Amino acid sequence: MREGLSVDSASPSYKGHRYPAEVISRCVWLYFRFPLSLREVEELMLQRGVLVSHETVRRWCAKFGQAYANGLRRRRPSPGDKWHLDEVFVEINGEWKYLWRAVDQDGTVLEILVQNRRDTAAARRFFRRLLKRTGAVPRVVVTDKLRSYGAAHREVMPSVEHRSHKGLNNRAESSHQPTRQRERAMRGFRSTGGAQRFLAAFSGIPPHFRARRHLMTAHDCRAEMTVRFAVWDQVTGVVGRPAEA
């Protein structure tokens, strides 16, 4: 097995659910991996002979989505030492909020946080949450020209190099694209808490299945995806142990 894909015996409990883990994990995978509505997931499962309502799929995604994402995160390698931070507007129930995001130099999402403001207090809260979640300190932090970043940086991580330049932060800005695509498919978010819960799981599940295909041969890519699907089955409790490619 590859570095970062360690085995964890803990798996979600499906006690009390009449559908098997295979069906539940497939529905959650479809909903988070592709820009599908709950009713479209219901239709795809019906085509496979599985009768499940869109409301049941919604409850499964709410209950298991974050648990699956956490399981995948535990199998990641340690984050890189160069972090890119950015914030964008996101409309929630007709009001503008701010989605804060941090990624490392490889594009791995480290943390997301939906907040009402983008002032120093909001930046400071995001920095502290980011350090707590990763359990690591970067070598350098790259942000845009927002002054709140500089003030929060001096308070929370003064020993870390801070580079403030919009042109250097394309890595973080590009990482917003999948969220924008999904936001359009969902016709926006209805609440701040709902957006935070969805995006926290969304930032952990789809990236697991995005292999760097442009850097691999077709054979190597298929082998890599086989490993990733095996890890998914182990994380969701469908099988006991991921296979090696």
Side-chain angles (χ1 to χ4, degrees):
M1 184 165 30
R2 301 180 182 179
E3 183 181 359
L5 302 182
S6 61
V7 175
D8 185 351
S9 59
S11 61
S13 172
Y14 298 98
K15 184 177 181 180
H17 292 271
R18 68 185 179 93
Y19 286 90
E22 291 88 342
V23 171
I24 295 174
S25 65
R26 174 56 63 91
C27 288
V28 175
W29 174 73
L30 285 170
Y31 184 65
F32 283 103
R33 178 64 180 90
F34 305 102
L36 299 172
S37 69
L38 295 169
R39 293 182 184 275
E40 287 171 332
V41 174
E42 175 184 354
E43 183 177 339
L44 286 171
M45 297 305 292
L46 178 62
Q47 190 273 334
R48 291 165 172 77
V50 179
L51 303 178
V52 59
S53 71
H54 67 278
E55 180 60 24
T56 297
V57 175
R58 184 194 66 79
R59 290 196 298 267
W60 289 346
C61 290
K63 180 176 180 180
F64 294 104
Q66 189 61 63
Y68 293 168
N70 291 342
L72 293 174
R73 288 191 181 101
R74 286 193 292 269
R75 288 158 174 77
R76 288 181 189 165
S78 299
D81 62 357
K82 185 177 182 180
W83 295 358
H84 298 257
L85 280 62
D86 192 40
E87 79 294 334
V88 295
F89 289 105
V90 58
E91 187 175 2
I92 299 177
N93 197 26
E95 297 182 0
W96 291 109
K97 308 291 183 181
Y98 297 93
L99 172 62
W100 299 70
R101 184 189 306 271
V103 302
D104 67 9
Q105 65 263 42
D106 298 318
T108 301
V109 178
L110 305 176
E111 182 61 287
I112 65 102
L113 181 62
V114 180
Q115 302 194 83
N116 293 330
R117 301 178 182 276
R118 58 171 182 170
D119 55 13
T120 300
R124 183 169 56 241
R125 186 180 303 113
F126 183 60
F127 274 34
R128 288 173 175 167
R129 182 183 174 108
L130 175 60
L131 293 174
K132 182 178 180 180
R133 171 61 68 92
T134 60
V137 177
R139 174 181 56 84
V140 59
V141 169
V142 181
T143 71
D144 58 22
K145 291 289 189 176
L146 182 67
R147 292 183 179 180
S148 300
Y149 283 121
H153 165 263
R154 289 189 293 271
E155 291 184 41
V156 180
M157 52 176 78
S159 62
V160 175
E161 180 184 354
H162 179 207
R163 299 176 187 172
S164 177
H165 190 285
K166 187 173 180 60
L168 297 175
N169 213 27
N170 291 335
R171 173 71 69 183
E173 293 173 358
S174 298
S175 71
H176 292 303
Q177 293 177 4
T179 298
R180 289 303 193 199
Q181 180 188 36
R182 191 54 189 266
E183 183 184 15
R184 289 192 296 269
M186 298 173 67
R187 300 180 182 178
F189 301 108
R190 292 173 176 79
S191 70
T192 300
Q196 178 68 44
R197 286 188 295 272
F198 173 81
L199 293 172
F202 181 73
S203 66
I205 295 176
H208 176 73
F209 297 98
R210 296 194 191 111
R212 296 187 175 185
R213 298 185 179 185
H214 62 290
L215 300 177
M216 306 179 187
T217 65
H219 176 270
D220 289 343
C221 183
R222 285 191 290 269
E224 175 66 20
M225 291 305 296
T226 297
V227 171
R228 296 191 182 205
F229 278 116
V231 171
W232 171 259
D233 287 343
Q234 195 272 332
V235 164
T236 60
V238 173
V239 296
R241 193 178 186 86
E244 295 187 19

